[in-house]
Amino acid sequence: MKKMTQAFQKVAAIRGMNDVLPGDGARWEQFESIVREWLRGYGYRNVRTPVLEHTRLFARGIGEVTDIVEKEMYTFTDALNGDSLTMRPEMTAGVVRASIEHNLLYDRPQRVYSIGPVFRHERPQRGRYRQFHQIDVEALGFAGPDVDAELIVMLARLWKRLGLTDVRLELNSLGQPAERAAHRAALIEHLERHRDILDEDGQRRLYSNPLRVLDTKNPAMQAMADSAPRLFDFLGDESRAHFDGLCQLLADAGIEYRLNPRLVRGLDYYNLTVFEWVTDRLGAQGTVCGGGRYDGLIELLGGKPAPAVGFAIGMERLLDLWEQSVPPAPTPECEVYVVHQGEAAQRLAARVGEQLRDAGLSVIVHAGSSGFKSQFKRADASGARVAVILGSDEVAAGTASVKFLRADAAGEAAQQQVALDRLADVLKSKG
Ligand code: HAM
């Protein structure tokens, strides 16, 4: 009996979730290896926490009345046990949960980092995706402005290492909870006086999150936001000392910044220092990195009170910026491409390939058995600098023909015969 197969409708990726294809993969890897080396230079160690966490971790950690928790989380009920689970919309809450669960801070502070995907249900546009990647860096258990400064200086070093010049630092202090409470009361009074011009979000947040009302993009509310009482004016001596200490250290390091009293960040856990690095070269989504101090979060999530500070870099945005500043050079698929003709040569090719890899070369052995001409085309397209040719003559003589494919790598006679036991040395010594 003939089985009917229904035509399958092609499946596309989910909107706002991108594939990284081979042409770009090399750039991502290059970027990640620069980043890992940079982090090692400051003693940061890698941690990896699950992509899925209990929803209440983020509700509590990031704050119930934030855009992220109110409308951007991918949350679902685990069909097996009814738990509410969420795809992490950021990494700080998960890293802090892990540090509490495993008592990481019991004998000393910790410098940790994590790289990976995070998920936010936002409206996709350039630089704003629903799955994106962060380099998340957290200094857990450090109280002083020296660590805040170290993190910022460290970022400036990364921009320099990548050859980026168009990134600026914006800085603010959010003070301590009591200072924020006093400011909040004054702010609510101010907002109440301008109630008639508040938009829907503004009305809704007037009492629940008045600070965020100032973060509005609504032009009709700008003047009201500009004349609002400033948190900075409510800071006590200690908060000011922390901020002054940071500014002094940044001045010592020659780092410029703009004090931006409106910088409040979209997550509720911050206190004292907050900062963002921004650029004009990415259109509307110009923030490549954001972070700050979150001295209350560890306790809020059930841990022994300990201060902390950190940041996250948006990898897609930073890669976009890097590509504009330093256009990527094409990355070859391999150094050596082995072409072959005939069954004996094909078997030899597999062995030669392994022998060359033993010597540390990157090698593609042509798969299948097509004509020399099409194999050479592939060799050329691979970007390899040299082709190794194996045919029946070479098999009989125990040699390989070597052909340098790039004029600059060669200066060599077009093709030469090399004994198989000398092949790796010859290939490595030439270019
Ligand atoms: P965040 O500001 O929400 O902070 O995100 C950090 C960075 O992630 C942003 O500056 C931006 O570059 C990138 N980003 C955010 N949303 C998107 C998106 N939809 N598409 C592409 N990139 C995006 C945090 O997540 C905090 N956990 C940072 C932190 C760590 N604070 C202390 N420690």
Side-chain angles (χ1 to χ4, degrees), residues 68 89-92 120 122 127-129 132 134 136-138 265 267 269-270 276 287-292 294 310-314 316-317:
I68 295 179
E90 59 111 45
M91 296 185 172
T92 310
R120 293 184 195 175
E122 296 189 84
R128 189 163 70 194
Y129 310 107
F132 59 100
Q134 286 188 341
D136 183 80
V137 175
E138 312 288 1
R265 311 269 304 125
L267 307 97
Y269 46 62
Y270 293 110
E276 286 184 350
T287 308
V288 293
C289 172
Y294 49 95
F311 61 77
I313 296 172
E316 283 78 0
R317 292 185 194 176

Side-chain angles (χ1 to χ4, degrees), residues 166-170 276-280 286-289:
D166 294 331
V167 268
R168 312 184 300 276
L169 175 62
E170 306 234 317
E276 286 184 350
W277 290 87
V278 294
T279 177
D280 297 325
T287 308
V288 293
C289 172

Side-chain angles (χ1 to χ4, degrees), residues 400-419:
S401 298
V402 170
K403 182 171 186 206
F404 288 91
L405 299 170
R406 320 268 152 230
D408 55 339
E412 288 293 322
Q415 203 160 307
Q416 63 184 94
Q417 296 290 317
V418 178

